[in-house]
């Protein structure tokens, strides 16, 4: 059987699935089928029977709109993805979604579709492989030895994130990272020459990559030679440039944007069958092609070889093997938070007035020695973010000014396993990384995003650096826990929650300015861990509740004291994490914030609209709905209305409404 027949099986599964769904992207799978066939049939180290095997090669389809390429490869090579799943492409609850989704479809390593992020994820996977190999491999015992392969198209390489990620990969010398560039010159709007004319190969060479140019993406011999060369690493990542024809095999649409993002149509599907000499009914793959494609026997050999190496490693290095197994399984070490608990107790006994970014740094220092997989970093703001702890060594890196790339790269590290990364930047620059944060939440992975300089209290840098709407953006992201602690104790609680999380990312929001420590005991620490709690209980009858987060908790407490002196019963609720609070049982939520209480005020130096879900239309929110201004931090806060008097006034308005 010819390679072309195996490749045509990919093409026709993609064509038939898109045609049945009446939507999708047939052009990319048809054009990429030849170099995908060579990789998956001859080169890729994987085992369909053990899709989560730790030392498998990672494969990422960065141009995820071509998802039927990946689904076809998984189905044909023997993964647990049957033909019915292929037939149900893009249908409700099918594992074969419009774009690949990790956790929804076996064999999918990461969720891709927003172009360029898959390439950045792959950089993170290669970084994780390199770090784990350095730490755990011993002479004659290489248990971490795999490559990361990523397919990317013109659109991926147009996106700015590709520059961020590829530049860093070259600087780091990720020799086991191989990117195969589908150079077909077509995007949705047509031929890309008018808007994408740079020499991509030269660009990657400038990044420090080795580049294999001008490979005929439809010539298996050229492709095989290119892959052999790419795997013979010289210490640089490799870009393999494959010239292809989008929609290869479609006589009426190949080489045009018409093959990109829509079903070919019944007549063109039949013409394609004739062109490819594919005389089979839709979704029918002859048994001899399945047998040729089946990767289980080859995969079993790979897996068995690694099992032998793993057994020898366990015998020779039992402690290291146990640690490696723990990390790759995602289990936290016993007692990982003991030092953090002691730190909390010390802060309760001897509280300090600290900027919570400093509190965060202290927390990291208490956690990291007991959590060797912890790996920090910052986008050129290490000192400002406080992400580096004493004695961090090479467990902290400077990502440069690459907020988006950094966030997507660490998503890839989490997905690889064995590393627990966190990253830092200013809260306002979360916007640069927004889509990577969204994908972390969509994938349900436990990445940690540290954001400091959390309000107009940033001060003289002015509105370009003063976040206002970012907290709302984070809090309205499904599956993301957003913590904004008011002091060091709450900061420690936030860090403990973020580290302990297994299937949710966390955004930890910290101040530049000092915050006042609040009185804490075991009850308030437990309450903080539940996302919200009564920090100051009313005297006598409950008249009104003030909800606050972060540095504004101090404003709320001062306003409560003033109102209490006037005979009002005022409760102050600190709510460091809304998502965690809302996940508590109804009885707990009612005990903290009674449903029948109409007099409610929320206080936060951020956009006010989010808080109406808690105060209702009869309540008030003391917040900021402008873009801040350049002035010293305390002046900026006051000018933007973040004052005790305004909180007092808001409470009185609710009581008289």
């Amino acid at each position: 059987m010819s390679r072309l027949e195996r490749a045509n099986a990919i093409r026709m599964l993609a064509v038939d699935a898109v045609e049945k769904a009446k939507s999708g992207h047939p052009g990319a799978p048809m054009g990429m089928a030849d170099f995908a066939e060579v990789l998956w049939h001859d080169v890729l180290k994987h085992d369909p029977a053990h899709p989560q095997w730790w030392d498998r090669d990672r494969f990422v389809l960065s141009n995820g709109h071509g998802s039927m390429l990946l689904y076809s490869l998984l189905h044909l090579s023997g993964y647990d993805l049957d033909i019915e799943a292929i037939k149900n492409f893009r249908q409700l609850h099918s594992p074969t979604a419009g774009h690949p989704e990790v956790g929804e479809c076996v064999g999918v390593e990461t969720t891709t579709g927003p172009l360029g992020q898959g390439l950045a994820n792959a950089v993170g996977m290669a970084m994780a492989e390199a770090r784990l190999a350095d730490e755990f491999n011993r002479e004659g015992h290489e248990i971490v030895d795999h490559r990361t392969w990523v397919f990317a198209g013109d659109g991926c390489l147009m996106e700015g994130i590709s520059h961020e990620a590829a530049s860093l990969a070259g600087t780091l010398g990720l020799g086991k990272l191989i990117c195969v560039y589908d150079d077909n010159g077509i995007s949705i709007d047509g031929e890309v020459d008018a808007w994408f004319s740079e020499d991509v190969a030269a660009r990657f060479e400038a990044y420090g990559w080795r580049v294999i140019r001008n490979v005929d993406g439809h010539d298996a011999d050229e492709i095989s030679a290119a892959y052999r060369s790419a795997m013979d690493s010289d210490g640089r990542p490799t870009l393999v440039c494959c010239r292809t024809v989008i929609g290869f095999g479609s006589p009426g649409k190949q080489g045009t944007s018409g093959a990109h993002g829509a079903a070919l149509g019944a007549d063109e599907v039949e013409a394609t069958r004739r062109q490819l000499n594919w005389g089979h009914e839709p979704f029918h793959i002859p048994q001899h092609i399945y047998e040729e494609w089946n990767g289980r026997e080859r995969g079993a050999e790979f897996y068995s070889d690694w099992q032998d190496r793993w057994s020898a490693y366990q015998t020779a290095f039992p402690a290291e093997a146990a640690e490696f197994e723990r990390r790759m399984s995602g289990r936290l070490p016993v007692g990982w938070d003991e030092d953090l608990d002691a730190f909390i107790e010390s802060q309760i006994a001897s509280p300090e007035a600290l900027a919570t970014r400093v509190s965060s740094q202290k927390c990291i220092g208490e956690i990291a020695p007991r959590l060797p997989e912890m790996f920090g970093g910052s986008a050129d703001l290490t000192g400002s973010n406080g992400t580096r702890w004493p004695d961090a060594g090479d467990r902290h890196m400077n990502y440069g000014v690459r907020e988006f790339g950094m966030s997507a790269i660490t998503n890839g590290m989490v997905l690889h396993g064995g590393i627990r990364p966190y990253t830092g930047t200013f809260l306002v620059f979360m916007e640069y990384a927004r889509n990577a944060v969204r994908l972390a939440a969509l994938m349900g992975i436990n990445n940690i995003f540290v954001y400091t300089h959390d309000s107009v209290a940033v001060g003289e840098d002015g509105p370009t650096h003063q976040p206002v709407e970012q907290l709302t953006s984070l809090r309205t992201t499904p599956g993301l826990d957003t913590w904004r602690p008011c002091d060091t104790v709450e900061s420690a609680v936030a860090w403990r929650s973020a580290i302990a999380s297994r299937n949710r990312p966390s955004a930890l929001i910290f101040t530049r300015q000092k915050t006042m420590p609040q009185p804490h005991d075991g009850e308030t620490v437990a309450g903080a861990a539940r996302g919200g709690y009564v920090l100051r209980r009313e005297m006598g009858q409950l008249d009104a509740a003030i909800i606050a987060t972060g540095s504004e908790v101090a404003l709320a407490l001062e306003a409560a004291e003033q109102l209490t002196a006037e005979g009002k019963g005022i409760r102050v609720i600190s709510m460091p994490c809304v998502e965690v609070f809302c996940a508590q049982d109804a009885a707990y939520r009612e005990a903290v914030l009674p449903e029948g209480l109409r007099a409610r005020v929320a206080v936060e130096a951020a956009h006010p609209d989010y808080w109406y879900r808690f105060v209702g239309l009869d309540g008030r929110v003391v917040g900021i709905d402008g873009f801040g201004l350049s002035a010293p931090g305390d002046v900026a806060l006051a000018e933007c209305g973040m004052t005790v008097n305004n909180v007092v006034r808001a409470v009185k308005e609710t009581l008289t409404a």
Side-chain angles (χ1 to χ4, degrees):
M1 182 175 67
S2 70
R3 286 190 177 277
L4 181 59
E5 193 173 10
R6 286 197 296 266
N8 284 345
I10 297 172
R11 291 187 172 100
M12 292 313 302
L13 281 177
V15 166
D16 290 337
V18 171
E19 188 66 25
K20 183 174 184 292
K22 300 304 179 187
S23 72
H25 300 77
M30 297 173 76
M32 300 165 75
D34 294 305
F35 64 74
E37 184 273 334
V38 175
L39 177 64
W40 278 67
H41 188 268
D42 295 355
V43 177
L44 193 71
K45 184 174 75 171
H46 68 120
D47 181 7
H50 298 91
Q52 295 300 311
W53 165 37
W54 295 332
D55 200 39
R56 68 191 182 278
D57 284 355
R58 269 55 170 188
F59 174 78
V60 175
L61 182 67
S62 187
N63 46 344
H65 57 268
S67 57
M68 269 310 305
L69 175 76
L70 179 53
Y71 300 144
S72 298
L73 291 163
L74 293 168
H75 170 70
L76 291 167
S77 59
Y79 284 77
D80 187 16
L81 189 70
D82 62 23
I83 196 66
E84 291 304 312
I86 301 296
K87 290 179 180 179
N88 285 320
F89 176 56
R90 288 186 160 227
Q91 303 309 301
L92 183 65
H93 301 316
S94 171
T96 52
H99 293 81
E101 295 182 30
V102 68
E104 298 297 325
C105 181
V106 64
V108 173
E109 301 282 5
T110 180
T111 298
T112 57
L115 294 176
Q117 285 198 64
L119 174 57
N121 294 162
V123 171
M125 293 174 186
M127 286 174 60
E129 192 275 344
R131 290 192 62 81
L132 292 167
D134 285 345
E135 184 171 357
F136 287 99
N137 286 351
R138 299 292 184 269
E139 186 174 353
H141 295 272
E142 294 189 342
I143 57 165
V144 183
D145 183 19
H146 55 267
R147 294 180 176 86
T148 302
W149 298 82
V150 56
F151 285 2
D154 292 299
C156 291
L157 301 190
M158 290 183 217
E159 287 284 1
I161 191 173
S162 73
H163 299 255
E164 295 182 28
S167 170
L168 185 61
T171 300
L172 296 177
L174 299 176
K176 290 184 178 178
L177 173 64
I178 302 170
C179 178
V180 183
Y181 168 35
D182 178 31
D183 182 11
N184 63 41
I186 296 292
S187 68
I188 292 176
D189 284 346
E191 297 181 9
V192 302
D193 288 349
W195 55 86
F196 187 54
S197 60
E198 72 254 32
D199 185 337
V200 170
R203 171 184 145 197
F204 273 74
E205 287 171 341
Y207 291 147
W209 288 55
R210 180 176 54 154
V211 177
I212 301 173
R213 297 171 178 250
N214 298 318
V215 177
D216 184 341
H218 301 299
D219 185 316
D221 291 337
E222 282 195 32
I223 297 164
S224 294
Y227 287 167
R228 287 195 299 272
S229 177
M231 291 188 292
D232 186 16
S233 174
D234 65 357
R236 293 178 291 171
T238 300
L239 180 74
V240 180
C241 299
C242 287
R243 292 176 286 103
T244 65
V245 177
I246 192 172
F248 182 93
S250 169
K253 294 189 177 183
Q254 68 178 22
T256 73
S257 60
H260 181 275
L264 297 180
D267 292 344
E268 188 65 17
V269 169
E270 290 309 308
T272 301
R273 275 187 158 73
R274 292 191 296 271
Q275 180 77 9
L276 296 177
N277 194 28
W278 186 264
H280 312 295
E281 293 297 312
F283 301 106
H284 177 71
I285 305 295
Q287 187 60 34
H288 73 279
I289 296 181
Y290 273 129
E291 291 172 359
E292 280 285 323
W293 254 115
N294 196 325
R296 286 190 168 236
E297 182 176 346
R298 182 168 167 269
E301 293 175 1
F302 282 133
Y303 187 71
S304 177
D305 174 69
W306 184 83
Q307 285 282 60
D308 290 343
R309 288 185 284 123
W310 175 237
S311 294
Y313 186 87
Q314 287 177 302
T315 299
F317 307 100
E320 290 84 349
E323 175 65 5
F324 181 73
E325 191 275 335
R326 179 192 68 76
R327 292 199 206 174
M328 293 304 294
S329 299
R331 298 194 308 273
L332 293 171
V334 175
W336 71 270
D337 57 351
E338 286 182 3
D339 292 340
L340 191 65
D341 285 339
F343 176 65
I344 290 173
E345 290 299 322
S346 72
Q347 287 299 309
I348 292 174
S350 302
E352 297 178 85
L354 298 172
T356 53
R357 61 171 173 161
V358 176
S359 305
S360 169
Q361 186 176 39
K362 288 179 177 290
C363 293
I364 295 168
E366 300 294 337
I367 297 168
R370 290 180 178 263
L371 197 67
E373 60 265 46
M374 197 168 181
F375 181 69
S378 173
D380 203 46
L381 291 168
T382 299
S384 295
N385 295 150
T387 51
R388 188 180 184 90
W389 71 96
D391 304 319
D394 67 354
R395 290 172 60 193
H396 185 282
M397 73 171 290
N398 301 326
Y399 285 91
V401 188
R402 296 183 176 99
E403 295 91 350
F404 193 5
M406 171 183 73
S407 303
I409 285 167
T410 52
N411 280 347
M413 297 177 76
V414 175
L415 289 161
H416 178 280
I419 306 290
R420 287 299 312 270
Y422 67 89
T423 52
T425 188
F426 290 171
L427 177 56
V428 74
F429 298 138
M430 175 279 296
E431 299 291 358
Y432 281 130
R434 180 73 184 89
N435 204 254
V437 177
R438 183 178 190 271
L439 281 187
L442 193 158
M443 291 188 283
I445 59 175
N446 53 5
N447 206 347
I448 299 173
F449 306 101
V450 174
Y451 299 123
T452 68
H453 295 59
D454 69 347
S455 73
V456 299
V458 168
E460 292 87 344
D461 279 338
T464 60
H465 284 54
Q466 293 172 356
V468 173
E469 71 276 25
Q470 285 70 29
L471 279 168
T472 293
S473 178
L474 291 168
R475 289 189 181 120
T476 54
T477 302
L480 175 69
D481 288 340
T482 301
W483 289 84
R484 187 170 183 249
C486 74
D487 62 7
T488 301
V489 169
E490 285 192 1
S491 298
V493 170
W495 265 108
R496 180 160 52 196
S497 174
I499 294 292
S501 174
R502 291 185 63 89
N503 58 4
R504 293 172 70 91
S506 300
L508 307 183
I509 316 299
F510 300 114
T511 66
R512 177 195 186 193
Q513 75 278 20
K514 286 185 177 182
T515 61
M516 293 302 299
Q518 302 305 329
H520 285 290
D521 55 23
E523 184 178 351
T524 64
V525 172
R530 301 184 77 168
Y533 63 101
V534 179
L535 178 61
R536 180 193 185 279
R537 195 163 295 280
E538 67 281 0
M539 296 179 62
Q541 176 180 316
L542 174 59
D543 294 316
I546 307 174
I547 309 165
T549 78
S551 50
E552 288 72 68
V553 168
L555 279 184
L557 288 167
E558 193 172 343
E561 290 298 325
Q562 184 172 323
L563 289 161
T564 298
E566 298 177 12
K568 305 293 192 299
I570 307 298
R571 174 178 296 187
V572 175
I573 298 166
S574 179
M575 197 173 289
C577 186
V578 170
E579 297 80 15
V580 171
F581 177 75
C582 289
Q584 303 304 308
D585 60 85
Y588 179 79
R589 297 196 309 271
E590 174 68 16
V592 174
L593 185 61
E595 188 173 335
L597 180 66
R598 294 179 65 252
R600 304 180 182 190
V601 172
V603 186
E604 187 172 64
H607 200 281
D609 281 4
Y610 178 83
W611 288 102
Y612 284 102
R613 65 177 296 194
F614 290 99
V615 302
L617 296 181
D618 295 323
R620 301 290 186 273
V621 180
V622 179
I624 300 172
D625 58 6
F627 281 114
L629 68 163
S630 183
D634 55 348
V635 176
L637 282 167
E639 184 68 17
C640 291
M642 303 309 300
T643 66
V644 173
N645 286 342
N646 280 345
V647 178
V648 169
R649 182 181 303 112
V651 172
K652 289 181 176 179
E653 287 175 356
T654 66
L655 291 170
T656 58

